[in-house]
Amino acid sequence: IKMNYRDALSKELSYALRHAPWEYELEMDAEGRVPIDQLLNALHREEHWKDVQEADIQEVIAKSEKKRFELKDGMIRAFYGHSIPMKIVKEEKMPPKVLYHGTARRFLDSIKAKGLLPQSRQYVHLSQDMETAKSVGRRHDGTPCILVIDAKKAWDEGVKFYLGNEKVWLADWVDAKYIVDYYISTTS
Ligand code: HQG
């Protein structure tokens, strides 16, 4: 399938699985999984997706630079990014010692005052490495800011962390006291 079709399908999957499963009449389990057949049937009702096949979704997953979805045992889910009212249950896990968060310079004052908030999503999204954080931040600001989070200290003090995928970590809220450093990324 063509790149444009793949990208559009990826966005459609994100929308259905993260933000609006009811528009597709999907029955989502506690971890955010829905039966792939249910999703395909819903997509087939739309003219644009009438021919989409499970193999196309497999191709979206295989060729994506980010690990956004899991397709396993006839079920598909988004690993992170949810905004629906039902809070998706994520696996609690000990984080690496340090995590990063890429954001916009214009959010810094508010972040210093209130800590990292999930905003429109269910969880705060943190990155395993600075490069990933930089690309996340660039979605909000051409010259993004990378915050360094002392995840070990937070974990030791009882803050819960959850696994999104290998590069994306989740938390309910990150107190500003755990932001120990930050960089403004002037290079690409
Ligand atoms: C900011 C993408 C003001 C926060 C990415 C961020 C990620 C605050 C923005 C995933 C704040 C929310 C999520 C506070 C946090 N005051 N602003 N107190 N606390 N913020 O898009 O983390 O491509 O909802 O810094 O790669 O940017 O979709 O979250 O800038 O993994 O798969 O509020 O989505 O993945 O923005 O991105 P977002 P995010 P996909």
Side-chain angles (χ1 to χ4, degrees):
I1 50 172
K2 295 213 174 72
M3 193 176 83
N4 286 344
Y5 185 85
R6 225 167 51 220
D7 288 353
L9 181 53
S10 180
K11 288 201 164 69
E12 187 83 15
L13 295 176
S14 286
Y15 182 68
L17 298 171
R18 294 173 174 179
H19 307 302
W22 49 84
E23 285 186 29
Y24 304 76
E25 293 172 56
L26 301 176
E27 296 166 81
M28 190 169 268
D29 75 9
E31 278 102 28
R33 295 186 194 85
V34 308
I36 185 72
D37 290 341
Q38 216 176 67
L39 177 64
L40 284 169
N41 283 336
L43 291 173
H44 290 160
R45 279 181 238 130
E46 289 178 54
E47 178 58 26
H48 189 71
W49 300 117
K50 66 177 170 23
D51 296 321
V52 71
Q53 297 300 314
E54 183 170 333
D56 304 328
I57 292 176
Q58 279 164 351
E59 191 175 326
V60 165
I61 295 172
K63 297 205 171 154
S64 171
E65 79 290 0
K66 290 186 185 179
K67 209 173 151 187
R68 296 188 173 96
F69 312 106
E70 176 191 61
L71 177 52
K72 204 171 101 183
D73 303 329
M75 304 286 277
I76 184 166
R77 66 167 167 161
F79 279 122
Y80 58 87
H82 302 86
S83 69
I84 55 174
M86 180 187 89
K87 193 158 178 183
I88 299 299
V89 175
K90 299 303 297 180
E91 180 197 348
E92 270 186 55
K93 211 171 164 187
M94 187 177 77
K97 286 199 171 86
V98 174
L99 284 168
Y100 304 89
H101 179 85
T103 188
R105 290 165 295 171
R106 66 183 182 280
F107 299 152
L108 287 180
D109 285 344
S110 170
I111 290 171
K112 279 180 201 161
K114 298 179 204 158
L116 287 172
L117 298 168
Q119 304 292 49
S120 65
R121 303 190 199 259
Q122 297 184 354
Y123 295 93
V124 174
H125 288 59
L126 302 164
S127 304
Q128 173 97 23
D129 55 82
M130 282 195 77
E131 268 317 300
T132 306
K134 207 189 278 184
S135 71
V136 174
R138 226 179 262 123
R139 293 161 48 257
H140 304 285
D141 186 346
T143 304
C145 177
I146 291 98
L147 309 177
V148 182
I149 315 294
D150 190 341
K152 178 171 188 329
K153 181 156 188 252
W155 167 266
D156 286 344
E157 293 180 4
V159 176
K160 287 177 185 163
F161 290 85
Y162 313 86
L163 189 64
N165 63 28
E166 293 84 19
K167 289 185 172 179
V168 179
W169 285 81
L170 306 170
D172 300 300
W173 169 63
V174 178
D175 192 311
K177 70 185 175 194
Y178 300 120
I179 303 170
V180 289
D181 205 356
Y182 70 93
Y183 301 90
I184 309 285
S185 169
T186 50
T187 56
S188 57

